[in-house]
Amino acid sequence: VYLSTCQLKKMNIAYLISAHTDAQHLQRLIASLPAEAEFFVHVDAKSDISQFNLLSADPRVHFTVERHNVMWGSFGQVRYQMTLLKEALRAERRFDYFFSISGLDYPLWSNSRIMRHIEQHQGEEFLFATCLTDRPEAAQLYQEYRFLNTRPWRYGTLKSKFRVALRHALKAFGLRKPLTISSHNGEYKLYKGGSWWGITRQLAEEAVSFYDNDRRFTRYFVNAFGPDETFIHTIAMNGARAPHCTLIAPDDAVSLAVLSPLTYIEYGKEIKIFTEEDFNKLISSGKMFCRKTVSGTSDALISMIDRHRTQEEHTL
């Protein structure tokens, strides 16, 4: 729903950034985004936070005191998301929107276009989701019990192999996680989306409340696969915010790229690092951000994007 210029309210924006490496790029990312925004940064506990010291002088940048050792696909990803949301919600400034991005993202749109898009869609959630109860094939990973998945055991070690063996044993015995969640507040169907989204203050407060107060609901995700792609989405799609989200129908594609409303991603065995050869497809993607870009490898591309963004700024 588009609003006329006279109806638009200026939005206060908080960017929630997960970072673990490439402080140079993080500094460039923050410098590229709207000057009136503020930035809440979680640095993985495995990383040396001193590499990010240069950003500490920027009053718009807030590093979380609480840091988590985040294992891919584990509940640690929900923990850092909630840590970021809590810090942003407690801030003196009252933010209207919270955008989850990676420290290796980069904006493809000019800042004027970013702010205009948010203001024209104010009240909407920039969140895509699909119901896993309607997708038996896509749901298989989410029916696996992933015990011990937050333990920081390196892949290939005996402990890590034991964790994998335990998962396969439970699956062999026919144990499956249900695709509905029973909590004190009712039954919830499981929904999946992307980790990079933009949500209203209302949904952010609701997610934190579930995390802190509904132990049965939260406990479901502790031993689940990829809970950062399901926790907030399940809350949103089973509640009052559902009409303001985008539902991906059961017969539509369900790739990470499709489920990411704002971010262009190419995900094969790993997430592709973009270079200048990718410029045209990135700009024509219609997405606000791309992921991922890395210092050294992506420098020429970022220069091309910056020139494009400057030109776009002058035409709006």
Side-chain angles (χ1 to χ4, degrees), residues 35 68 116 120:
H68 305 281
R116 180 182 296 182
Q120 287 179 331

Side-chain angles (χ1 to χ4, degrees), residues 14-290:
Y15 287 96
L16 314 178
I17 304 176
S18 62
H20 69 281
T21 187
D22 203 344
Q24 177 184 344
H25 181 72
L26 179 61
Q27 189 172 16
R28 186 163 46 184
L29 167 64
I30 289 174
S32 73
L33 288 167
E36 62 270 29
E38 293 192 34
F39 305 88
F40 295 82
V41 183
H42 173 269
V43 177
D44 194 295
K46 295 187 292 293
S47 302
D48 178 8
I49 198 169
S50 67
Q51 66 180 299
F52 299 96
N53 281 347
L54 283 175
L55 284 163
S56 299
D58 189 335
R60 302 174 304 147
V61 179
H62 315 277
F63 287 93
T64 64
V65 176
E66 185 178 11
R67 295 169 62 199
H68 305 281
N69 187 336
V70 182
M71 300 294 290
W72 178 85
S74 78
F75 191 68
Q77 293 181 286
V78 175
R79 287 176 178 154
Y80 89 69
Q81 283 181 340
M82 294 300 112
T83 296
L84 286 166
L85 278 174
K86 287 180 182 182
E87 295 228 4
L89 286 167
R90 284 196 298 261
E92 183 177 347
R93 184 177 175 190
R94 184 178 175 84
F95 297 105
D96 301 297
Y97 271 96
F98 305 83
F99 285 84
S100 170
I101 63 176
S102 157
L104 297 178
D105 286 2
Y106 203 71
L108 299 171
W109 295 3
S110 68
N111 289 336
S112 293
R113 184 180 177 189
I114 289 173
M115 293 307 299
R116 180 182 296 182
H117 185 77
I118 296 169
E119 289 163 2
Q120 287 179 331
H121 292 83
Q122 59 188 260
E124 296 299 303
E125 308 291 347
F126 299 96
L127 183 145
F128 291 177
T130 192
C131 186
L132 287 177
T133 59
D134 298 331
R135 292 180 175 271
E137 290 187 9
Q140 290 181 25
L141 279 174
Y142 299 87
Q143 291 182 284
E144 294 181 356
Y145 282 96
R146 300 261 176 149
F147 291 109
L148 306 173
N149 68 352
T150 58
R151 301 295 177 91
W153 298 334
R154 288 186 296 108
Y155 299 110
T157 62
L158 285 175
K159 288 181 178 180
S160 178
K161 289 178 180 179
F162 168 75
R163 176 169 51 200
V164 174
L166 176 61
R167 183 174 82 237
H168 290 313
L170 294 172
K171 187 175 180 179
F173 280 108
L175 294 177
R176 299 286 188 275
K177 282 183 74 69
L179 296 176
T180 56
I181 305 163
S182 298
S183 85
H184 300 294
N185 296 315
E187 297 280 328
Y188 300 87
K189 290 182 177 181
L190 188 66
Y191 283 80
K192 168 188 169 64
S195 297
W196 319 118
W197 34 253
I199 61 175
T200 60
R201 188 177 189 90
Q202 181 179 343
L203 180 52
E205 290 175 339
E206 187 177 4
V208 168
S209 178
F210 266 83
Y211 181 77
D212 285 341
N213 303 316
D214 195 331
R215 293 185 179 180
R216 286 180 62 186
F217 181 88
T218 300
R219 192 162 52 236
Y220 172 92
F221 296 90
V222 171
N223 56 28
F225 171 73
D228 59 310
E229 298 175 350
T230 54
F231 186 83
I232 288 178
H233 305 77
T234 298
I235 293 169
M237 300 304 292
N238 284 276
R241 300 306 300 166
H244 304 281
C245 303
T246 299
L247 176 66
I248 305 298
D251 54 348
D252 288 341
V254 73
S255 67
L256 180 62
V258 169
L259 291 171
S260 299
L262 303 170
T263 308
Y264 184 87
I265 305 173
E266 288 188 13
Y267 198 10
K269 291 184 178 180
E270 57 186 21
I271 296 176
K272 179 180 178 177
I273 298 174
F274 294 119
T275 66
E276 62 269 30
E277 296 177 356
D278 301 301
F279 174 77
N280 288 332
K281 69 180 174 186
L282 292 176
I283 297 303
S284 63
S285 71
K287 295 294 181 77
M288 188 182 292
F289 291 93
C290 66

